[in-house]
Amino acid sequence: MPVVHGRIDRSFLTNSLNGSLDGEYLSQDRMTVLAGRLPRLGSTTEIVLTPVIARLFGTGVGGTVKYVYQPLGADGQYTGRQFTRSYRVAAVGEVPPALVDQSDAVQGAILPPGATRQVLSEYFYAWIGLRLAHGIGGIPALQADLARLARQVQRQESRSTHQNLPSPSFTVSRSDVVRNQVQQAIRPEAIALSVFGAIAALAMVVLAGQGLSQMISRSAPDIAVIRALGATRAQAALAAGLPGVIPVFGGAMLAVAGAVVISPLAPVGPVRRYDPGRGIWADGLVHGAGGFLIGVVLLGLLAVLAIRSVRQSKGEAAARPSAFARTAAAAGMPASAVVGSRNALEPGSGARSVPVRSTLLGSIAAVTAVVAAVVFNASLAGLISHPARYGWNWDVVIQTQSRYGSFTPGAVNRLIHGQPAVAGWSEFAFGQLPVDGRIVPVLGIRRHLGAVQPPTTSGRPLWGKAQIELGTVTLGQLGKKIGDTVRIGTPPFTRTVTITGTVTLPSFGVGGADHVSLGRGAMLPEATLLAAVGAGSRPRGPAQSVPVYPSAVAIDLAPGTAEVQRAQLIHRIVSANPDGTPGGSYELRHALAAAVVNAGHLGGQPLALALGLAAAAVLSLALTVLSLVRRRRQELALLKALGMTRGQVRVIIAWQTTLTLLIAIVIGGPLGIAGGRLAWQAFARSLGAVPVVEVPVLALIVGLAALVVAGNLLASVPAAAAARTRAAAGLRAE
């Protein structure tokens, strides 16, 4: 046990002291060193601390820590002689498993083999790593062998001590479960990044198409000439599109080069800590295939635009004025507004044609992406800041020994009953249970006061014994739907229960093993769970505790409960040792699922992608306005000759820019909100979280207003050029 500030810390959460006999536990591929170096294997004075324990001691690499050794008796009480050892901190590191739920993260200290052998007699548990010849299929045979070994050890100890000692227990921890949990935790983040990458790619294709369209439109007069000279449509299209081949290939090469340059920033999130190589990385398959795909898509788009320009070359006279511009003129709006509206919505024809439609489409795509990203980011922040959305639907949780212990019957009830700070409470039991032949982690609930329970996301909460709620992932894996029945339990205790709904389960329970978490597992009444495993009565003695007996209690505090009252309630329960072991019961703070932690590391990445698209769209709009100014110099000169001032010419450009962005906002805003809602709901359901969508209306209004302002600031450059147009020079060219 650690000695912290002169006092022994007996808490189960912090008193773990592990030792390695062969050194493998300390090898670099098993432990991630955050600071310092790994101790020498033969050292008897060095130690490694995890970050939480280092903070507990208030020390770091090079500091000195003390541990007290005292045997734990069969009755759960500390007995025998006590002695103290001091160690120098050689490193601060994280021990496996990594990237798992916070409740499974191992915290403690690790001794090298030399120091471990000195105190080996003080250890009361051990882990042995095994590789089974038949994989997980060999676990039942292993469990049978371990049961026989336990009986043999019990008989030998009884003969040597002449006492009736309890049989030792062996817990099998499956590493494949950890791998599955890590994959499930990482997958939502990868899916989210892929979705937003696809949205960004689509929007960039639209913006690239806008640029290519501007390039092709410049050759419109030449197309008419070569067609008049006898060129075929294919030849004219080739002539129009050929200049765009160079920027297409140049853009693809720049995209690949950019991906290689920013490769040191990947991977993102918690997995980055365990990435062995963080430098420049070029993957021939990924980057080559990506560059090739970009080139093919843009070449195809270029071909479509070139063919379309040839087909439209004969229909210049058929260009129709926009309805909005006609309405603005009929309403008696100022001439600047009418001309600006026409410039924003009418592409023109011949040498004066400008790709305003593609500009408008690109702006809509960018606004849609920005709004969708803002809604997604706000919903993600709401998930992390509202514990109920990831299953933590209460104020306080008291747990005992990560479920490897259990509460003494009636102890918690006596400690909580009549407490004014308690508005409601329930007790939880955890275990694994066969459900339609699949082993599923389960939570058994017994409500004592109020309705303290994980939130039901669809269907109905539990109200009877023969019922069960499932996580969304587990429901899909079983191929069931709400209202179906499943068979649970182990023979001869199997029974049929009805699926009443889906539930967002909290991510804690059986420490270091498969337990309920977001989307994964089941919840049923505690009595039904006990009956399904044949646990009809509680065994005697803490050493024989059955895992599914109650090992956690969730409490809702009364409104207005002060922090002092909360602390007093927790101290009352924890200090009474309701599990019979000093330090075995403790408050469990919000235990985030690994998927929520990883999703939180997305941060503003989707928003950064969308803002990049918005910047590209605004820049593209400014270039379109500049192109319009150049191609319609004669028109602007005529307007000035008719008496239009420089200020009115600037208003034309401002009106065109503002109208384009307002149309993009009116169309792209609702599309973005709808897209963000769909993206978040799909993402939240893939996690198993409560799919609450946050739409930050004020932030969206401010952001979209900033987009309009930014667009007008960029358009001020071509507006100034338009205002300087000389009427005489422009009309002379005409």
Side-chain angles (χ1 to χ4, degrees):
M1 296 170 287
V3 180
V4 182
H5 306 305
R7 301 181 61 182
I8 298 176
D9 188 339
R10 301 180 183 273
S11 173
F12 179 85
L13 287 177
T14 55
N15 67 4
S16 173
L17 180 60
N18 298 310
S20 174
L21 285 175
D22 56 8
E24 288 296 322
Y25 197 61
L26 289 173
S27 59
Q28 185 64 41
D29 61 337
R30 296 295 305 277
M31 176 179 291
T32 302
V33 176
L34 305 178
R37 59 162 183 82
L38 292 174
R40 301 182 306 274
L41 297 184
S43 174
T44 60
T45 59
E46 293 181 310
I47 196 171
V48 179
L49 304 181
T50 60
V52 170
I53 304 304
R55 288 194 295 269
L56 176 71
F57 279 112
T59 189
V61 175
T64 300
V65 296
K66 291 183 179 180
Y67 274 82
V68 167
Y69 294 86
Q70 188 173 14
L72 186 67
D75 59 353
Q77 302 299 317
Y78 291 102
T79 61
R81 67 183 181 87
Q82 174 180 302
F83 63 92
T84 304
R85 290 284 173 88
S86 297
Y87 302 98
R88 187 182 68 84
V89 180
V92 176
E94 293 185 350
V95 296
L99 301 175
V100 293
D101 294 339
Q102 285 185 344
S103 62
D104 293 325
V106 177
Q107 300 296 340
I110 303 93
L111 296 175
T116 301
R117 294 189 184 95
Q118 286 191 337
V119 292
L120 189 60
S121 60
E122 305 300 322
Y123 282 92
F124 59 93
Y125 71 90
W127 290 99
I128 300 175
L130 300 175
R131 186 183 299 276
L132 302 182
H134 302 288
I136 61 174
I139 290 179
L142 174 64
Q143 290 175 322
D145 291 339
L146 292 175
R148 287 192 293 270
L149 177 60
R151 290 191 294 269
Q152 293 174 5
V153 172
Q154 181 189 30
R155 287 194 295 267
Q156 291 174 1
E157 290 294 317
S158 297
R159 284 196 297 267
S160 61
T161 61
H162 304 289
Q163 297 180 10
N164 186 20
L165 298 176
S167 173
S169 60
F170 295 96
T171 300
V172 177
S173 178
R174 293 172 47 180
S175 59
D176 66 304
V177 170
V178 175
R179 286 196 297 270
N180 291 339
Q181 289 179 1
V182 170
Q183 290 297 322
Q184 184 175 343
I186 295 174
R187 190 177 300 114
E189 181 182 13
I191 292 174
L193 287 175
S194 299
V195 168
F196 277 96
I199 293 174
L202 180 61
M204 286 305 298
V205 166
V206 173
L207 293 174
Q210 177 182 333
L212 294 174
S213 180
Q214 289 189 21
M215 180 179 295
I216 291 175
S217 67
R218 295 174 186 172
S219 62
D222 299 331
I223 293 176
V225 172
I226 62 174
R227 285 286 284 155
L229 294 175
T232 63
R233 284 188 177 182
Q235 291 172 329
L238 181 62
L242 198 58
V245 174
I246 295 177
V248 164
F249 280 107
M253 293 175 64
L254 286 175
V256 172
V260 173
V261 169
I262 67 172
S263 60
L265 299 179
V268 296
V271 296
R272 178 174 174 79
R273 184 177 294 172
Y274 308 99
D275 182 31
R278 301 184 184 179
I280 295 291
W281 180 260
D283 189 305
L285 178 61
V286 174
H287 292 112
F292 177 77
L293 182 61
I294 291 174
V296 169
V297 171
L298 293 182
L299 284 175
L301 182 60
L302 177 63
V304 171
L305 293 173
I307 294 172
R308 184 169 175 268
S309 69
V310 173
R311 289 178 176 174
Q312 289 179 341
S313 62
K314 292 185 178 181
E316 295 173 356
R320 294 177 300 176
S322 70
F324 187 90
R326 291 199 307 270
T327 303
M333 295 183 68
S336 298
V338 175
V339 176
S341 301
R342 184 169 61 83
N343 288 348
L345 300 174
E346 297 177 13
S349 60
R352 298 179 181 180
S353 66
V354 180
V356 295
R357 293 171 183 169
S358 60
T359 301
L360 186 58
L361 183 59
S363 301
I364 292 172
V367 169
T368 301
V370 170
V371 173
V374 170
V375 171
F376 187 93
N377 270 35
S379 301
L380 176 60
L383 168 65
I384 297 172
S385 61
H386 292 76
R389 298 182 189 177
Y390 55 80
W392 203 271
N393 202 21
W394 39 76
D395 298 314
V396 176
V397 164
I398 306 295
Q399 190 180 28
T400 176
Q401 302 178 46
S402 290
R403 191 238 57 177
Y404 291 105
S406 60
F407 294 130
T408 303
V412 176
N413 193 17
R414 290 191 295 270
L415 292 168
I416 295 180
H417 182 71
Q419 292 299 306
V422 177
W425 67 285
S426 299
E427 65 180 14
F428 298 154
F430 301 94
Q432 289 87 34
L433 191 69
V435 178
D436 271 5
R438 178 188 291 267
I439 301 299
V440 173
V442 293
L443 181 154
I445 182 172
R446 181 182 178 190
R447 292 181 285 265
H448 287 267
L449 177 64
V452 183
Q453 59 192 23
T456 297
T457 53
S458 62
R460 298 181 58 184
L462 301 173
W463 74 89
K465 289 185 177 181
Q467 296 175 347
I468 190 172
E469 287 189 82
L470 299 175
T472 54
V473 175
T474 300
L475 183 69
Q477 290 173 341
L478 293 173
K480 297 289 185 176
K481 62 181 184 299
I482 296 174
D484 289 347
T485 60
V486 290
R487 195 74 176 164
I488 65 170
T490 55
F493 309 107
T494 56
R495 60 200 61 232
T496 299
V497 294
T498 301
I499 303 171
T500 64
T502 58
V503 60
T504 296
L505 292 162
S507 299
F508 72 96
V510 189
D514 196 18
H515 58 74
V516 295
S517 187
L518 281 180
R520 188 178 70 247
M523 183 174 75
L524 65 167
E526 180 185 292
T528 305
L529 172 58
L530 292 173
V533 298
S537 60
R538 177 180 290 273
R540 298 179 181 177
Q544 303 177 30
S545 296
V546 175
V548 297
Y549 285 127
S551 59
V553 57
I555 303 172
D556 263 350
L557 299 176
T561 300
E563 187 62 30
V564 174
Q565 294 173 295
R566 182 184 190 277
Q568 290 174 344
L569 174 66
I570 294 171
H571 178 73
R572 169 184 171 84
I573 299 172
V574 170
S575 61
N577 300 323
D579 63 322
T581 301
S585 297
Y586 50 86
E587 181 191 8
L588 183 65
R589 293 289 184 174
H590 293 163
L592 287 172
V596 175
V597 175
N598 292 342
H601 280 78
L602 282 172
Q605 293 173 36
L607 186 58
L609 283 173
L611 290 177
L613 291 175
V618 170
L619 180 59
S620 178
L621 175 59
L623 292 175
T624 301
V625 173
L626 181 60
S627 176
L628 180 142
V629 170
R630 288 177 176 176
R631 298 187 187 187
R632 298 183 181 176
R633 287 191 298 268
Q634 295 84 359
E635 181 179 320
L636 294 173
L638 179 61
L639 292 174
K640 294 190 71 174
L642 293 175
M644 188 168 282
T645 65
R646 286 190 175 188
Q648 289 175 313
V649 172
R650 286 193 177 95
V651 171
I652 290 175
I653 305 302
W655 186 268
Q656 174 188 354
T657 303
T658 303
L659 181 60
T660 299
L661 291 175
L662 287 178
I663 292 174
I665 290 171
V666 170
I667 298 176
L671 288 177
I673 292 175
R677 289 178 61 92
L678 291 175
W680 174 252
Q681 288 175 347
F683 182 78
R685 290 193 179 98
S686 71
L687 288 178
V690 180
V692 177
V693 179
E694 300 272 359
V695 181
V697 178
L698 181 60
L700 286 175
I701 292 174
V702 172
L704 294 175
L707 180 66
V708 174
V709 172
N712 277 279
L713 287 176
L714 280 176
S716 63
V717 175
R724 290 195 301 268
T725 301
R726 294 182 179 180
L731 293 176
R732 187 182 304 117
E734 182 70 18

